[in-house]
Amino acid sequence: MGSELKKPKKQFQLNPNWAQLREQLKSNGFQKQLSNPSQTENPNSILGKRKSRSSDDDSGDARPNPLIPTSSDSSVTDVIAIDCEMVGVSYVGNRSALGRVTLVNQWGNVIYDEYVRPAERVVDFRTKISGIRPQHLKKAKDFHVVQEEVAALIKGRILVGHALRNDFKALLLGHQKQDIRDTSEYKHFLSREGRKRALRNLATEVLGVGIQNGVHCPIEDARAAMMLYLKHRKEWEKSIKDFARLKEKQKKRKPKKKNRRLRTVNNAENAS
């Protein structure tokens, strides 16, 4: 009986050297047990567990959302993106009026976000798209107040947006042409046929993120436009500078042609 009790002690005696213990267990057919990280406290096994978790995460969609700001900076930067949501006015509500306007800075942080009370009575809140409800406009700012505040914020700054013509029309504002960056008109964002594309499609294809799935969020849309601009900023700005140089050269050439014609006429008159 004594000899039978001693055998298990020899067989299961813990060895302080983990490497030797591992080899011993392998030789006894326990390799599968050790391959499971939960069966040991070995740091290497813990690391393996982290790696396995990482590989599991990588197999799914672990890609960060590019529309989430990576900085907490909420300052008014030199580049601003805008997006507006409309409501319906007039007798049947088929005419658009500004219902909400949002501005985000270069980092995607909101620097202005206001609901707007139109001068005319709202007939259609277009809630399914705009997300605007009657209660949102009860304490909203008057249109002219918002118009002045937005004008002050965008003055002298590069303004990014998608189909900005609609936003300017709703705000009854204009902007310096050289400071407009419209993602609906940028050549690299047009279709093969040269047609304008929806912001939703550009966000999916270029940024890999889905937007406007139901109610539109002006914050999200402004961020998407900003990210599209920043992704092509270097090339976009270069093309604008090149175009400006070309126009400047053309302006310098035109007066010379007029002078040549005047000289030809004067010479002809003198000859006669």
Side-chain angles (χ1 to χ4, degrees), residues 52-67:
S52 64
R53 286 178 181 173
S54 177
S55 61
D56 290 340
D57 292 340
D58 291 341
S59 62
D61 188 11
R63 182 174 165 183
N65 188 336
L67 301 186

PDB file of all heavy atoms in Angstrom, residues 52-67:
ATOM      1  N   SER A  52      -4.655  35.891 -29.165  1.00  0.00           N
ATOM      2  CA  SER A  52      -5.818  35.228 -29.725  1.00  0.00           C
ATOM      3  C   SER A  52      -7.021  36.162 -29.712  1.00  0.00           C
ATOM      4  O   SER A  52      -7.819  36.181 -30.628  1.00  0.00           O
ATOM      5  CB  SER A  52      -6.136  33.957 -28.942  1.00  0.00           C
ATOM      6  OG  SER A  52      -6.504  34.275 -27.611  1.00  0.00           O
ATOM      7  N   ARG A  53      -7.137  36.952 -28.623  1.00  0.00           N
ATOM      8  CA  ARG A  53      -8.218  37.928 -28.582  1.00  0.00           C
ATOM      9  C   ARG A  53      -8.064  38.948 -29.689  1.00  0.00           C
ATOM     10  O   ARG A  53      -9.020  39.349 -30.335  1.00  0.00           O
ATOM     11  CB  ARG A  53      -8.223  38.642 -27.225  1.00  0.00           C
ATOM     12  CG  ARG A  53      -8.757  37.778 -26.098  1.00  0.00           C
ATOM     13  CD  ARG A  53      -8.685  38.543 -24.793  1.00  0.00           C
ATOM     14  NE  ARG A  53      -9.173  37.734 -23.689  1.00  0.00           N
ATOM     15  CZ  ARG A  53      -9.091  38.109 -22.423  1.00  0.00           C
ATOM     16  NH1 ARG A  53      -8.536  39.281 -22.114  1.00  0.00           N
ATOM     17  NH2 ARG A  53      -9.553  37.340 -21.455  1.00  0.00           N
ATOM     18  N   SER A  54      -6.810  39.400 -29.897  1.00  0.00           N
ATOM     19  CA  SER A  54      -6.533  40.388 -30.931  1.00  0.00           C
ATOM     20  C   SER A  54      -6.895  39.855 -32.303  1.00  0.00           C
ATOM     21  O   SER A  54      -7.472  40.549 -33.130  1.00  0.00           O
ATOM     22  CB  SER A  54      -5.064  40.797 -30.895  1.00  0.00           C
ATOM     23  OG  SER A  54      -4.779  41.681 -31.926  1.00  0.00           O
ATOM     24  N   SER A  55      -6.545  38.566 -32.541  1.00  0.00           N
ATOM     25  CA  SER A  55      -6.849  37.992 -33.845  1.00  0.00           C
ATOM     26  C   SER A  55      -8.347  37.847 -34.038  1.00  0.00           C
ATOM     27  O   SER A  55      -8.869  38.009 -35.137  1.00  0.00           O
ATOM     28  CB  SER A  55      -6.166  36.621 -33.989  1.00  0.00           C
ATOM     29  OG  SER A  55      -6.645  35.729 -32.995  1.00  0.00           O
ATOM     30  N   ASP A  56      -9.066  37.553 -32.909  1.00  0.00           N
ATOM     31  CA  ASP A  56     -10.521  37.455 -33.010  1.00  0.00           C
ATOM     32  C   ASP A  56     -11.125  38.804 -33.340  1.00  0.00           C
ATOM     33  O   ASP A  56     -12.055  38.915 -34.138  1.00  0.00           O
ATOM     34  CB  ASP A  56     -11.100  36.933 -31.689  1.00  0.00           C
ATOM     35  CG  ASP A  56     -10.755  35.462 -31.452  1.00  0.00           C
ATOM     36  OD1 ASP A  56     -10.415  34.774 -32.446  1.00  0.00           O
ATOM     37  OD2 ASP A  56     -10.807  35.042 -30.288  1.00  0.00           O
ATOM     38  N   ASP A  57     -10.572  39.870 -32.709  1.00  0.00           N
ATOM     39  CA  ASP A  57     -11.078  41.219 -32.974  1.00  0.00           C
ATOM     40  C   ASP A  57     -10.800  41.621 -34.400  1.00  0.00           C
ATOM     41  O   ASP A  57     -11.613  42.267 -35.054  1.00  0.00           O
ATOM     42  CB  ASP A  57     -10.429  42.226 -32.017  1.00  0.00           C
ATOM     43  CG  ASP A  57     -10.882  42.007 -30.583  1.00  0.00           C
ATOM     44  OD1 ASP A  57     -11.942  41.371 -30.382  1.00  0.00           O
ATOM     45  OD2 ASP A  57     -10.170  42.479 -29.684  1.00  0.00           O
ATOM     46  N   ASP A  58      -9.602  41.246 -34.898  1.00  0.00           N
ATOM     47  CA  ASP A  58      -9.224  41.616 -36.253  1.00  0.00           C
ATOM     48  C   ASP A  58     -10.115  40.945 -37.282  1.00  0.00           C
ATOM     49  O   ASP A  58     -10.318  41.455 -38.378  1.00  0.00           O
ATOM     50  CB  ASP A  58      -7.756  41.241 -36.524  1.00  0.00           C
ATOM     51  CG  ASP A  58      -6.812  42.106 -35.708  1.00  0.00           C
ATOM     52  OD1 ASP A  58      -7.245  43.188 -35.246  1.00  0.00           O
ATOM     53  OD2 ASP A  58      -5.661  41.693 -35.528  1.00  0.00           O
ATOM     54  N   SER A  59     -10.634  39.754 -36.918  1.00  0.00           N
ATOM     55  CA  SER A  59     -11.470  39.042 -37.863  1.00  0.00           C
ATOM     56  C   SER A  59     -12.787  39.776 -38.098  1.00  0.00           C
ATOM     57  O   SER A  59     -13.403  39.673 -39.135  1.00  0.00           O
ATOM     58  CB  SER A  59     -11.744  37.618 -37.365  1.00  0.00           C
ATOM     59  OG  SER A  59     -12.442  37.674 -36.131  1.00  0.00           O
ATOM     60  N   GLY A  60     -13.226  40.547 -37.073  1.00  0.00           N
ATOM     61  CA  GLY A  60     -14.446  41.334 -37.230  1.00  0.00           C
ATOM     62  C   GLY A  60     -14.118  42.727 -37.730  1.00  0.00           C
ATOM     63  O   GLY A  60     -13.004  43.016 -38.141  1.00  0.00           O
ATOM     64  N   ASP A  61     -15.110  43.610 -37.643  1.00  0.00           N
ATOM     65  CA  ASP A  61     -14.894  44.991 -38.101  1.00  0.00           C
ATOM     66  C   ASP A  61     -14.430  45.835 -36.916  1.00  0.00           C
ATOM     67  O   ASP A  61     -15.212  46.532 -36.284  1.00  0.00           O
ATOM     68  CB  ASP A  61     -16.191  45.538 -38.700  1.00  0.00           C
ATOM     69  CG  ASP A  61     -15.982  46.878 -39.371  1.00  0.00           C
ATOM     70  OD1 ASP A  61     -14.815  47.264 -39.543  1.00  0.00           O
ATOM     71  OD2 ASP A  61     -16.986  47.526 -39.719  1.00  0.00           O
ATOM     72  N   ALA A  62     -13.137  45.776 -36.624  1.00  0.00           N
ATOM     73  CA  ALA A  62     -12.583  46.514 -35.490  1.00  0.00           C
ATOM     74  C   ALA A  62     -12.043  47.866 -35.918  1.00  0.00           C
ATOM     75  O   ALA A  62     -11.398  48.547 -35.149  1.00  0.00           O
ATOM     76  CB  ALA A  62     -11.468  45.693 -34.841  1.00  0.00           C
ATOM     77  N   ARG A  63     -12.289  48.240 -37.156  1.00  0.00           N
ATOM     78  CA  ARG A  63     -11.782  49.492 -37.687  1.00  0.00           C
ATOM     79  C   ARG A  63     -12.473  50.676 -37.000  1.00  0.00           C
ATOM     80  O   ARG A  63     -13.702  50.709 -36.918  1.00  0.00           O
ATOM     81  CB  ARG A  63     -12.062  49.518 -39.186  1.00  0.00           C
ATOM     82  CG  ARG A  63     -11.540  50.749 -39.911  1.00  0.00           C
ATOM     83  CD  ARG A  63     -11.764  50.546 -41.395  1.00  0.00           C
ATOM     84  NE  ARG A  63     -11.634  51.783 -42.125  1.00  0.00           N
ATOM     85  CZ  ARG A  63     -11.846  51.890 -43.422  1.00  0.00           C
ATOM     86  NH1 ARG A  63     -12.180  50.837 -44.113  1.00  0.00           N
ATOM     87  NH2 ARG A  63     -11.706  53.039 -44.035  1.00  0.00           N
ATOM     88  N   PRO A  64     -11.719  51.643 -36.490  1.00  0.00           N
ATOM     89  CA  PRO A  64     -12.337  52.774 -35.797  1.00  0.00           C
ATOM     90  C   PRO A  64     -13.162  53.638 -36.746  1.00  0.00           C
ATOM     91  O   PRO A  64     -12.858  53.755 -37.926  1.00  0.00           O
ATOM     92  CB  PRO A  64     -11.135  53.553 -35.247  1.00  0.00           C
ATOM     93  CG  PRO A  64      -9.989  53.173 -36.130  1.00  0.00           C
ATOM     94  CD  PRO A  64     -10.255  51.751 -36.531  1.00  0.00           C
ATOM     95  N   ASN A  65     -14.207  54.239 -36.204  1.00  0.00           N
ATOM     96  CA  ASN A  65     -15.072  55.107 -37.000  1.00  0.00           C
ATOM     97  C   ASN A  65     -14.337  56.417 -37.275  1.00  0.00           C
ATOM     98  O   ASN A  65     -14.014  57.159 -36.350  1.00  0.00           O
ATOM     99  CB  ASN A  65     -16.364  55.379 -36.229  1.00  0.00           C
ATOM    100  CG  ASN A  65     -17.382  56.121 -37.069  1.00  0.00           C
ATOM    101  OD1 ASN A  65     -17.045  56.809 -38.023  1.00  0.00           O
ATOM    102  ND2 ASN A  65     -18.645  55.983 -36.724  1.00  0.00           N
ATOM    103  N   PRO A  66     -14.066  56.737 -38.544  1.00  0.00           N
ATOM    104  CA  PRO A  66     -13.309  57.961 -38.862  1.00  0.00           C
ATOM    105  C   PRO A  66     -14.071  59.243 -38.546  1.00  0.00           C
ATOM    106  O   PRO A  66     -13.482  60.319 -38.538  1.00  0.00           O
ATOM    107  CB  PRO A  66     -13.048  57.833 -40.367  1.00  0.00           C
ATOM    108  CG  PRO A  66     -14.158  56.966 -40.869  1.00  0.00           C
ATOM    109  CD  PRO A  66     -14.451  55.994 -39.756  1.00  0.00           C
ATOM    110  N   LEU A  67     -15.376  59.136 -38.276  1.00  0.00           N
ATOM    111  CA  LEU A  67     -16.163  60.325 -37.986  1.00  0.00           C
ATOM    112  C   LEU A  67     -16.120  60.712 -36.510  1.00  0.00           C
ATOM    113  O   LEU A  67     -16.612  61.771 -36.137  1.00  0.00           O
ATOM    114  CB  LEU A  67     -17.620  60.107 -38.410  1.00  0.00           C
ATOM    115  CG  LEU A  67     -17.858  59.783 -39.893  1.00  0.00           C
ATOM    116  CD1 LEU A  67     -19.340  59.743 -40.186  1.00  0.00           C
ATOM    117  CD2 LEU A  67     -17.165  60.790 -40.801  1.00  0.00           C
TER     118      LEU A  67
END
